[in-house]
Amino acid sequence: MSDNCRTRLWFDGELKAENFPLADVSEHLHEQGALVWVDMCNPDHRIVCELADELGFDQNAVEDVVARSERTKATRYATHTFLTVYATALGPQVANDLESRLLTARVSIFVLHGAEGSGVVTVRHETDAQHPVFDIDEVVRRWDDNSDLLRLGSPALLHGLLDVVVDGQFDTIQQLDDAIESLEDGLFDDRAQTRKIQRDTYRLRKELVELRRIVLPMREVINTIMRRRAEGADSVELDGWYADLYDHVIRAAEWTESLRDMITTVFETNLSLQDARLNTIMKKLTGWAAIIAVPTAVTGWYGQNVPYPGFQDMAGVVSSAAIIVIVSALLYVAFKRNNWI
């Protein structure tokens, strides 16, 4: 069995086999009470097509799997349901970098509903297979922790899989929320670098837009699954689990909406504060210009080549210096009281 391919087989919720060949998948699906899981990470196109032909996947769904990018969605076919979801994470922050840190991994899911056995096939597209965004081991741990639910078939597997995806999106939203709060704290810090705040705000807006495109359609994905369950003969034991999952998806969508409002507020507040700081600077410059204009005017007057009181006399120098000091001091006090300087 390849490192990028895993298989598991349960009977009535009990694990019976693991990492068996792909050629045995269709045979196990015809066994009464069997539950099969197949996971492939960055598989070759040929392997996907061979497995799709063997299990009777719809050709349109197969094309969505091998396509470069697909939107988050759920589509129902006669023998299976096909889903496309995205796991998310935030990469490390690089100073003065405007590129988005949002990392995504597309997970294509085939949910099989056989008359005898059932199963789930997951195809993961990771940019870096050595450091995957989607932790499939966490999915397996949750299945093992709730092994009593696996007797309910593929809906139980699907729930554990989607639960990990949604939890990962929640973690990403929480990190963005913390980053926006840090921006808010720095807005009124005079020591903060305005250019850095602008860069961080721009990058966070970009990351949030990308995340919303992934999170918001998850509501329709879970709705589609729940409608199919309501129309079918699936056990009601999982209804509470899916209702809780749907609640998490709604909360994630509402959280992203609130973060969009927050980042917009931060952006607008930053612009307003820049205008206020500019006005303050202009007032200070105007005040100092007025103060400097006094000695300029006095010395310019006394520099005229015409007689004036104190001309060619020490008293004239003293009086001009006194005028400069007194008027400049009066202007300084007046401007200081009005917070102009």
Side-chain angles (χ1 to χ4, degrees):
M1 179 65 61
S2 174
D3 291 338
N4 62 349
C5 184
R6 299 172 62 176
T7 55
R8 271 195 169 197
L9 172 65
W10 296 267
F11 276 101
D12 296 324
E14 185 177 348
L15 182 63
K16 294 297 183 180
E18 192 171 4
N19 294 332
F20 52 84
L22 288 177
D24 298 342
V25 172
S26 58
E27 179 181 343
H28 289 310
L29 284 173
H30 289 90
E31 298 177 3
Q32 188 67 37
L35 176 61
V36 179
W37 171 56
V38 177
D39 174 69
M40 294 180 287
C41 181
N42 297 336
D44 293 336
H45 185 190
R46 176 184 57 82
I47 296 178
V48 175
C49 292
E50 289 177 356
L51 184 62
D53 292 339
E54 181 180 354
L55 301 181
F57 292 158
D58 187 273
Q59 187 60 35
N60 292 322
V62 177
E63 291 177 359
D64 289 343
V65 172
V66 299
R68 184 174 296 274
S69 62
E70 277 294 322
R71 64 181 180 86
T72 302
K73 64 179 181 179
T75 308
R76 296 166 56 181
Y77 297 100
T79 59
H80 61 277
T81 300
F82 174 72
L83 301 90
T84 300
V85 297
Y86 285 84
T88 62
L90 275 186
Q93 181 172 344
V94 180
N96 299 325
D97 189 4
L98 295 178
E99 292 301 318
S100 172
R101 298 170 298 161
L102 186 66
L103 305 176
T104 61
R106 178 157 56 101
V107 184
S108 302
I109 308 169
F110 294 90
V111 184
L112 306 173
H113 309 283
E116 297 170 334
S118 60
V120 171
V121 176
T122 55
V123 182
R124 296 179 288 123
H125 298 272
E126 295 278 3
T127 304
D128 185 359
Q130 300 299 323
H131 302 89
V133 175
F134 184 56
D135 187 3
I136 195 65
D137 292 328
E138 175 61 23
V139 177
V140 175
R141 282 193 293 270
R142 296 199 184 187
W143 286 340
D144 293 339
D145 292 341
N146 299 281
S147 57
D148 56 315
L149 294 177
L150 298 185
R151 57 184 173 80
L152 302 177
S154 56
L157 290 181
L158 180 61
H159 174 272
L161 184 65
L162 293 178
D163 196 36
V164 174
V165 171
V166 173
D167 285 350
Q169 293 174 355
F170 251 100
D171 291 340
T172 304
I173 296 172
Q174 178 66 64
Q175 293 178 57
L176 288 178
D177 192 351
D178 294 340
I180 293 175
E181 288 185 358
S182 297
L183 276 182
E184 291 177 331
D185 295 338
L187 281 177
F188 300 97
D189 186 358
D190 294 335
R191 296 171 299 177
Q193 299 181 9
T194 302
R195 193 170 187 83
K196 180 179 184 303
I197 292 178
Q198 292 173 339
R199 287 178 175 272
D200 291 344
T201 302
Y202 176 80
R203 190 190 65 249
L204 284 170
R205 290 185 68 178
K206 181 188 295 187
E207 293 165 353
L208 188 57
V209 168
E210 294 176 2
L211 184 60
R212 288 181 70 250
R213 293 173 182 168
I214 293 172
V215 172
L216 295 186
M218 287 295 293
R219 293 179 292 187
E220 185 58 33
V221 169
I222 305 301
N223 260 329
T224 301
I225 298 171
M226 295 178 72
R227 284 198 302 267
R228 181 171 184 119
R229 285 178 48 77
E231 296 169 2
D234 290 340
S235 171
V236 297
E237 293 183 49
L238 285 174
D239 288 350
W241 293 81
Y242 273 99
D244 182 68
L245 178 62
Y246 183 69
D247 178 66
H248 288 178
V249 170
I250 293 296
R251 286 170 53 198
E254 292 175 348
W255 200 354
T256 56
E257 290 294 332
S258 66
L259 289 185
R260 183 179 65 169
D261 294 338
M262 287 175 61
I263 196 66
T264 300
T265 301
V266 169
F267 181 75
E268 293 175 350
T269 302
N270 186 41
L271 292 179
S272 299
L273 289 175
Q274 287 185 58
D275 291 339
R277 292 188 183 109
L278 180 60
N279 290 335
T280 301
I281 292 172
M282 291 303 297
K283 287 193 298 183
K284 291 183 177 181
L285 291 176
T286 303
W288 283 112
I291 294 174
I292 295 173
V294 173
T296 303
V298 173
T299 54
W301 172 265
Y302 277 87
Q304 295 181 92
N305 296 320
V306 294
Y308 57 88
F311 181 71
Q312 292 184 343
D313 189 31
M314 181 59 66
V317 177
V318 173
S319 62
S320 65
I323 294 173
I324 291 174
V325 172
I326 294 172
V327 176
S328 297
L330 291 175
L331 287 175
Y332 178 82
V333 172
F335 291 150
K336 193 68 175 179
R337 286 181 177 177
N338 290 283
N339 292 323
W340 277 39
I341 57 175

